[in-house]
């Protein structure tokens, strides 16, 4: 707990007062909204259907397939969705079995993958950052209240 009592350096202050809230906000906003849908897909829940690949968007580190999802029963359809954990070998116009669990931006491949780990880790990081930030704030506030006011020190010679 000595770290909480020694928030001295400028780097530490920047991390505590700006970094932790940013990590908490990103983790909770990005991860928590898709946490339940991701776990439902991992456990085989949601609406079964077929994903049809329309185009592939590639960034610096990864690529993702976008396309349409059509439910097997009930006629439900979602356009311009991402296929999370897309199988290898998917091509434009190709299809893959998928599950719609209500995730914001996409549907999940039935072949499985690690998206649930990423979303869970992101959410846990956000929760941990939020808890750490709140603990630090509470300790700082309590520390300021608990400090006794000492009488001023006098440098006058004593008799």
């Amino acid at each position: 707990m000595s770290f909480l009592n020694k928030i001295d350096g400028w780097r530490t202050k920047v991390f505590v007062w700006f970094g932790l809230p940013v990590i908490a906000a990103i983790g909770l906003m990005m991860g928590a909204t898709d946490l339940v849908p991701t776990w439902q897909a991992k456990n085989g829940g949601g609406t079964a259907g077929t994903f049809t690949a329309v185009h592939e968007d590639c960034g610096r580190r990864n690529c993702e397939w976008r396309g349409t999802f059509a439910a097997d029963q009930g006629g439900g359809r979602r356009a311009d969705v991402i296929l999370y954990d897309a199988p290898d070998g998917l091509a434009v116009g190709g299809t893959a079995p998928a599950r719609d669990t209500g995730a914001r931006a996409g549907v999940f491949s039935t072949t499985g993958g690690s998206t649930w780990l990423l979303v869970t880790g992101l959410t846990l990081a956000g929760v941990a950052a939020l808890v750490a930030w709140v603990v630090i704030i509470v300790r700082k506030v309590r520390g300021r209240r608990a400090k006794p006011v000492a009488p001023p020190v006098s440098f006058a010679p004593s008799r």
Side-chain angles (χ1 to χ4, degrees):
M1 289 298 183
S2 64
F3 168 76
L4 296 176
N5 296 330
K6 294 190 177 199
I7 301 176
D8 293 337
W10 70 270
R11 288 181 183 102
T12 306
K13 286 181 181 178
V14 168
F15 177 72
V16 167
W17 301 115
F18 296 105
L20 284 177
V22 167
I23 292 168
I26 290 171
L28 293 175
M29 288 188 322
M30 303 286 279
T33 55
D34 284 339
L35 185 64
V36 171
T38 303
W39 275 85
Q40 286 177 340
K42 179 191 178 310
N43 294 320
T47 304
T50 303
F51 174 86
T52 303
V54 174
H55 68 279
E56 187 176 26
D57 285 337
C58 291
R60 286 180 21 192
R61 297 177 194 238
N62 66 341
C63 294
E64 61 187 18
W65 280 100
R66 291 191 160 274
T68 58
F69 172 82
D72 289 343
Q73 296 177 357
R77 187 173 182 85
R78 289 179 67 183
D80 194 30
V81 294
I82 298 168
L83 178 61
Y84 297 113
D85 304 320
D88 293 335
L90 193 61
V92 174
T95 61
R99 295 197 165 278
D100 183 8
T101 57
R104 284 179 297 130
V107 295
F108 298 89
S109 173
T110 58
T111 59
S114 60
T115 299
W116 66 276
L117 277 173
L118 177 67
V119 171
T120 302
L122 190 61
T123 304
L124 288 176
V127 169
L130 180 64
V131 168
W133 191 56
V134 168
V135 166
I136 289 170
I137 290 173
V138 168
R139 286 187 177 265
K140 277 291 196 187
V141 169
R142 285 185 182 167
R144 288 185 182 174
R145 285 189 201 159
K147 286 184 182 177
V149 178
V153 177
S154 173
F155 292 105
S158 58
R159 294 185 174 190

